[in-house]
Amino acid sequence: MRRARLLLLPLAALLGACNRTADTFQPRIVITSPEGGGVSQARNFVVKGYVLDDHGVKDLTVEGRPVPLQGGTPKLANFVFQTQIQGSRGEYTIRARDAAGNESTLRLPVSVDGTNPVIKVTRFERERNVIRVTGVATDDTRVAQILVDGNRLNVTPGARVDFYAETTGIYADIEVRDAAGNVTRLRARQ
């Protein structure tokens, strides 16, 4: 009897190692382009992204239509699709399914932004060859980037962004870009 128990212990350990773990990880959908998420200057633009899953992505649909997965690996699959917005706003439903049947959904609001950001210089000082410029950039969606004389400022993107910069010369060339890619340029001088 004792000998039979000793023989069953390794068998029980072996069978215990055969247990399968359930796949409960839902695929994760990430949009990488356009930079502003779903904001563009045009009604038709390309959306790029990837789907991440621990056991492999099986398929992806946008508005119920299959989208081919491109490159990457089975666990990280890239995708691309073209938008066709009627009007100035829309929404796309993106669904991904993994090999175990787990599904996730991402709703991507998209909009067309043809309005350029606005630059207002609130202070301009020149001391010899050094220029100090202070101002505010505003946009109807989001100010994404501010450059002064070609140097990118460290700003937090938002609808209203205050900025300060020091440069050299006679004037300061300011460039503001919004999330859709619209650009406004201003030459600040006394």
Side-chain angles (χ1 to χ4, degrees):
M1 181 71 113
R2 184 177 175 139
R3 191 173 185 161
R5 280 189 203 162
L6 290 175
L7 289 174
L8 289 178
L9 282 175
L11 182 61
L14 232 171
L15 289 176
C18 291
N19 285 346
R20 291 185 181 240
T21 57
D23 180 7
T24 59
F25 184 83
Q26 291 183 324
R28 175 154 183 168
I29 305 167
V30 177
I31 303 298
T32 58
S33 176
E35 216 175 283
V39 182
S40 177
Q41 296 173 329
R43 294 184 193 284
N44 299 330
F45 59 94
V46 174
V47 173
K48 295 179 183 180
Y50 62 87
V51 183
L52 176 69
D53 188 73
D54 61 340
H55 285 91
V57 180
K58 186 174 180 185
D59 59 45
L60 180 86
T61 62
V62 175
E63 293 300 308
R65 291 185 298 275
V67 172
L69 298 171
Q70 304 174 340
T73 66
K75 294 182 179 186
L76 180 72
N78 299 308
F79 66 87
V80 174
F81 69 91
Q82 180 83 29
T83 65
Q84 294 181 354
I85 303 171
Q86 303 298 322
S88 63
R89 296 193 176 278
E91 183 176 271
Y92 284 89
T93 302
I94 305 168
R95 284 196 171 87
R97 191 164 39 112
D98 69 8
N102 296 315
E103 206 173 84
S104 62
T105 302
L106 174 72
R107 297 199 191 292
L108 177 66
V110 292
S111 60
V112 177
D113 177 13
T115 307
N116 288 349
V118 176
I119 304 170
K120 181 179 178 188
V121 174
T122 56
R123 189 171 189 165
F124 183 93
E125 298 174 349
R126 186 170 53 202
E127 185 177 316
R128 293 186 207 133
N129 200 27
V130 177
I131 296 173
R132 292 177 191 88
V133 63
T134 305
V136 62
T138 57
D139 188 63
D140 57 340
T141 56
R142 182 172 64 111
V143 172
Q145 176 177 306
I146 301 174
L147 291 96
V148 176
D149 285 343
N151 296 311
R152 187 174 178 166
L153 302 182
N154 187 13
V155 298
T156 302
R160 177 188 163 93
V161 177
D162 295 312
F163 66 90
Y164 169 82
E166 289 186 11
T167 188
T168 58
I170 304 169
Y171 49 80
D173 285 326
I174 303 167
E175 179 179 304
V176 176
R177 181 178 304 271
D178 70 7
N182 299 306
V183 176
T184 299
R185 292 178 182 87
L186 175 74
R187 179 165 280 175
R189 62 177 94 187
Q190 279 183 321

